Amino acid sequence: MTTQISRRTTPRINVWDLLARFREVGIIVFILLLGAVVTLRAPSFLTVNNFRDILMNISILAIVALGQTIVILTKGIDLSVSSMIGLVAMMVGFVMRQYPETPIFLIVLLGMALGTIAGSFNSIIITFGKVPPIIATLGTLSVYRGLVFFYSGGTWVNSFELPQSIKMLSKGRLFGVPNLILIALFISIIVYLFLKFTRTGRNIYAVGSNVEAAEYAGIRPQRIIFLVYLISGLLSGIGAVLWVSRFESAQTNTALGFELQTVTAAVIGGVSISGGVGTVTGVVLGAILLGIIQNALTLVRISPFWQLAAQGLLILIAVVLDKVIYTRVARN
Amino acid sequence: MKNRYLIISLVTLIIFSFALSACAPADPEPPVVEDVEEVEEVADPAECENYVLVPKNLGNPYFDTGNVGAQEAAGELGITVLYQGSATADASEQITLLNSLIAQQVCGLAISANDEDALVPTGQAAMEAGIAVVTWDSAIAPAGRDLHINQAELEGIGRVQIEMASRLAGPDGGEIAILSATSTAPNQNAWIEVMEQVLTEPEYANLELVEIVYGDDDDTKSYNEAQALFTKYPDLKVIIAPTTVGIAASARAVTDADLIGQVFVTGLGTPNQMREYVKNGSAPEFALWNPADLAYLSVYAMHALATGEIQASAGETFTAGRLGEYTVEDDPDLGLNVLLGAPFVYDADNIDDFDW
Amino acid sequence: MTVETINKNQQENIISDRQARKSFFSIFLKWEWLLFVLILLVIFINTRLSPFFLNAINLSRTSSDFMEIGLMMLPMVLIIVTGNIDLSVASNMGMSASLMGLMHNMGINIWLAALAGLTLGTLGGVLNGYLVAYVKLPSLVVTLGTFAFFRGIAFGFLGDQAARNYPSQFTFIGQGRVFDTLIPFSVVLFIALALIFGLVLHRTIIGRQLYAIGNNEPAAKYSGVPVEKIKFILFIVSGFISALAGLVLAARFGSTRPDNGTGLELAVITAAVLGGLDINGGKGSMYGATLALVLIGLLRFGMGLLNIQSQVQSMVIGLLLIVSILVPHIGQQIRFLKQVKFRWQSILMTVGLLVVFTAFFIFFFWSRAPIIAQF
Amino acid sequence: MTKSILKLKDISKSFSGVEVLHRVSFDLQPGEVHALLGENGAGKSTLVKVITGYHQPDHGDIYLDDALVQFVDTRDSRQAGIAAIYQELSLFPDLDVAENIFVGRHPQSFGLKVDWRKLYDEAHELLDSLGVTIDLKQKARHLSIAQQQIVEIARAFSINARILIMDEPTSSLTLSEVAELFALVNNLRENGTAIIFISHRLEELFEIADRVTVLRDGNYIATTKSKETSRDDLLRKMVGRTISSQYPKTEAPLGEVVLQVDQLTSEGLFTDISFEVKSGEILGMAGLVGAGRTNVAESIFGIRPATSGKILINGLEVSINSPQQAIGLGLAYVPEDRQQHGLIPAMQITPNISLPKLDDFAKYTWILNKKEKKFAYSAALQMEVRARSIWQLAKELSGGNQQKVVLAKWLSTHPRILILDEPTRGIDVGTKAAVHKLMSDLAADGLAILMISSELPEVIGMSDRIIVMREGFITGHFMRSEATQENVINAATKDVRIENLS
């Protein structure tokens, strides 16, 4: 941007330094390498259809992982996202079943509102109750899941009970691109702008980087922390509506276990668990990498029994590589 | 200062615990405490009224439908059948639940097992405590139960799915794939085995089984697996999904990918979940027994066992209400079992007759 | 914050070697005592509500249901005291048991197979420990990765197969009872290990060093505490005990499948935290964690006897977890609220939240009404 | 009397039942530099935090321009035109320099979007006016302590406050940087800004302050014009008694060389460091903050082992890869950062003291509580730690007493070589004298002491010999007799690069 100002920048351009400054480059390189290997073994990997499938599959993950990222930026964690998705999906599903003519934008708004309310419950426990985030959301993880069950009485909302409007929300296409992908892209851009170009967004980084200093600087950390769980709930709410739309059903176990995937996507995307570090591009790429790993393992016909192990191993490799790069840079 | 808050917390927790116990369903006449010493005794069959239907997990419409049948049977027999399951389809959770049911000295348990082997010790403990143990839908190994209520012969279920697949693939046959539930589900694996055998028959020589994948009875995973299948095998004709979650997910994947008419889905599913896909042509036909009937029969069998009407030996017969008379059979693999009947094939013509 | 109360000119002894005097009641207000009281309360209420609760056979059978969680909780307590976490315990347990099952299926002697399982679990711990202690990755991240990795290996070993027909000498570990009493062998194993772990934590040099690491890791390192080595060993021990828990589970089930024990890691962490452990490290005791395990076990069993649905049971445990952390902070909250000057914003916010929550619950019940009517 | 811009009346504040401020009054006039003086624990920092609204007073009033005000948080005080540099550095390690300056007040366009270009331009201007160049895109994590302090100062200046509070802003600045800062402060004063200035360097107060207010033990003692008072007078007011000779260094007979360091190098941190310390000797290590002295000490102690070079103890070459090994070899290290590295604040005094040598209080790893308690008690008594009990939490003690606990802890290991890193930083005058006395006594008993200090009078007053470091190199070596403030400063600011080229 304003390069003439940074007079004392290190003139030597170093591969490690580049990798660290643009962490995303590392993920892209990893994706390309993986893609190359997979294409050699399974040419069908490199088709438009396959890529559309991969993107479809990770769209909801990316959206919710962005919420997770915002939370992790403040040193927190939101384990309850999966249950929030389950709860909101079920409630939205019920409304759609009962009132199939409801305009779709109202449904989306409803999902956002319900998600935000669920998130605000986390916020209250964490900010006013001073409960560590991991414990609070571990608790609400089972509480919200219990509510899903209580709410639905164990029943599901099935595909035929849902109106076409909700199904088209994700499946409709604009210029040949499924809406779901466009929605995910749109939300990513919004979150990017929010984190990069608003004071509140910057304050989230500040609070995650040093809470006390933030307080000295006139930021109210409690408000920021309140806000991030709200946002996580909001994005989970959107994720829930999209979930109903894409999977054409709302079940009692909707999104079960999804929370760890969102954390994984964030971590692979370079978000630091100790707060203050992480970018939207990184997380989106992290989600894409996860999607590609899943897709590729199936395509190259690795025995289904070993796929999970390969996935875990790749995650470990990604994290260790990142650390190696970081230490190399720190040493220079 | 600090102490005061701790006292507050103590009081709050106490109140909280009382609130917990208030969650208990209103039990009009809690049994008296003196009974404790007599618990060891085998429940008196004549007075036995409390039975439990245990699904793999709660919140699954397939089992919930079963409960409808079970309640119907309970009404006819004048007994109470409780519907209790674990939150997730997990063996250790189910064992914890069964232990608390055994502790209550219920008269009979009808269990859909999450793990064929892991539940054996628990099933044995229940039988030792004088509880009638039948399994339905998914069996415990013979050592861990009295009777298994078999929804349909393995042979029959496997065969009907291959038959449907053959019909859908057309006279020229083609590539087929199987999308199962978890790789550990006993009934799935048994069916797949049968299907592989049936496929070796000359009649089905034109069908080629290209891969077996696992969707873990998880909607998302099943969907992705189905998608991967037609990416990998462009000539794929039929996906057989012998699981209610998998079949719906596969049919949706086919619909979403605009492959209706090119790839067909069949397998085992429930009418409500499949209605849409039967009508849009992605899954023109599928099979299933009626879970309500299955649970209905299970309750009758459980009651017959608990009251001593049958003793769990081969050849005995008992009457199961509207379903008529059934015989206990012995099978080298399945052990003692009662067979419900042949699976029913649903298609566009008959699906609207069912609502479950 | 610098607080000094002693008058600088005083001549007498400037420091005392005695603990500050506490009132008689404050001794009973420690978290561990609260748990104890809660346990008594649960026993009392449950005994009133169900005739089957205070029954030796039932309690014995139920107690063995919680022993795998208990076993894995022991090293977890030490790990949490240092401010770390191990999410991979349940996966590790699945992996070790699966290897044992695989070898058993191949006809190898069960004890040899068990030894192999224990070794593999320990190696899993070595991987975790190495990455945490020496590569210096956050334990949450590392064990999130191995959580998937280990479980994956378990599926790789056994796939759709199960291992069954373990000899009865082996199943004794999980099903047997000691000397014709009603006490399950696994409970004895747990108590013995709990004693050892408790003593290590509270009475030995290593225990002291664990607390030092949890409270201030750099300072511990500067004081000559072998931080890396201790963390490394801790994760190895956790791996070993997870494998042991895997054997106990396999023995209790009399069989092994690769998905055995899925999700138990959250139960383990819940028990530890409910026991008063600070997730950020440095605080908590082994007694507390053990009492919390007993409390959860009794609560679950009691609710099961009352036929409360499993989802509701999880909800209650989840709420209890939140409340257990929330309540000790009530004091802080009250003080905080007292400090806050009445501002229209805060009033508006409170009212707003109340309205929103009320609306939510009205909506919640209204929208599910048609379903209720169906039943 | 001129009108005061800020007036505190009878401010009291307690933390968990302990009164930290007791009816303190204070007034500040526009265009004056008002110094706040007191030992550590006197309540200066708390008073600052009360003024900025970080803490709320339990009792008493704050008047701004003679109007009663109430600050609920730091936002309120900032809106009222109060800016502060806090004692603890409060930067955001993950944000870059420019953003650190403007956190919470990012310049915006359209009242919505953060204007990054403007932000970098303004940051650039601001640092220029301070006469420093720091890479604006550098993450604060990678800055040296002096650079961090400069960024803090830039941040406080950027607010254009009417009242500027500076709590120990100069503790790690070089003399020329201090001079630049004072020039700016004078500039602000002329423009009518009122400044509250806190420093432990008394000399600075006479240079910059118009008036001085002294606090002691949370009580207001006196306010005087700085021209009308003397150093001794201020010291007496601060401590409440007269301080005797400041540097009680006695000549001790020198023995054998105990610690010898030969061409120690750690890439990027320091190069070719060689020196030796004899038994009974205090070797002073001078230099600016960030010269690499702490790195040398840490590598000797095994925390970050050096990449090449030799360490000899009693003439034998040793390899030290961890603090445990160092302790085993008779080394002890009192680190610079007490809160982070020296103590475990959340633990009691006893376990803090016994931590490095737990083996001594244990039998087969089993801790013998009585033995440990007895030992900790005698160590605390010997060091005159002032606390209610040895079971009090370390974090409840004042800075000076915390340092005593750290010393007690390390002396309990019976070291032969003691490394002290800034042993008197941030502690009160009374404790400072006690620490100096202790050092002298220990040397007399035959210990070899390596003392790192940024306070020149201390280095010159306490050392037998002095080595000076600059940017990772040794740039000077003086005997006690030949060391003066001038030649030590010259060595500490010598341009190393030129010397290396030649």
Side-chain angles (χ1 to χ4, degrees), chain D residues 316-378:
Chain D
L316 294 174
E317 188 177 342
V318 292
S319 83
I320 305 176
N321 291 314
S322 67
Q324 304 88 279
Q325 285 175 345
I327 294 168
L329 289 165
L331 278 157
Y333 175 51
V334 175
E336 178 183 10
D337 187 339
R338 218 163 23 239
Q339 299 291 331
Q340 280 299 312
H341 302 145
L343 275 178
I344 300 181
M347 284 171 86
Q348 297 148 329
I349 296 174
T350 307
N352 261 301
I353 290 179
S354 63
L355 190 59
K357 269 287 191 187
L358 276 170
D359 291 339
D360 289 0
F361 319 109
K363 199 175 182 183
Y364 314 119
T365 192
W366 189 270
I367 295 178
L368 306 166
N369 286 331
K370 273 194 184 150
K371 195 170 172 189
E372 183 195 11
K373 175 180 127 178
K374 211 166 147 190
F375 181 86
Y377 183 58
S378 70

Side-chain angles (χ1 to χ4, degrees), chain C residues 172-236:
Chain C
F172 179 82
I173 300 176
Q175 299 172 16
R177 293 172 181 170
V178 184
F179 305 127
D180 292 330
T181 59
L182 283 174
I183 304 166
F185 175 77
S186 55
V187 172
V188 176
L189 183 69
F190 168 74
I191 292 175
L193 283 172
L195 274 174
I196 293 173
F197 274 87
L199 289 176
V200 166
L201 181 62
H202 295 295
R203 288 280 178 273
T204 68
I205 294 181
I206 295 172
R208 179 68 63 76
Q209 292 178 330
L210 293 177
Y211 281 102
I213 294 173
N215 275 311
N216 187 346
E217 187 174 320
K221 189 177 163 64
Y222 277 68
S223 304
V225 174
V227 174
E228 285 84 16
K229 205 164 106 193
I230 287 186
K231 280 199 206 165
F232 188 50
I233 293 172
L234 221 48
F235 278 93
I236 294 177

Side-chain angles (χ1 to χ4, degrees), chain D residues 67-78:
Chain D
L68 182 65
V69 289
Q70 209 164 46
F71 298 141
V72 173
D73 55 28
T74 51
R75 256 178 127 84
D76 291 355
S77 69
R78 176 173 290 183

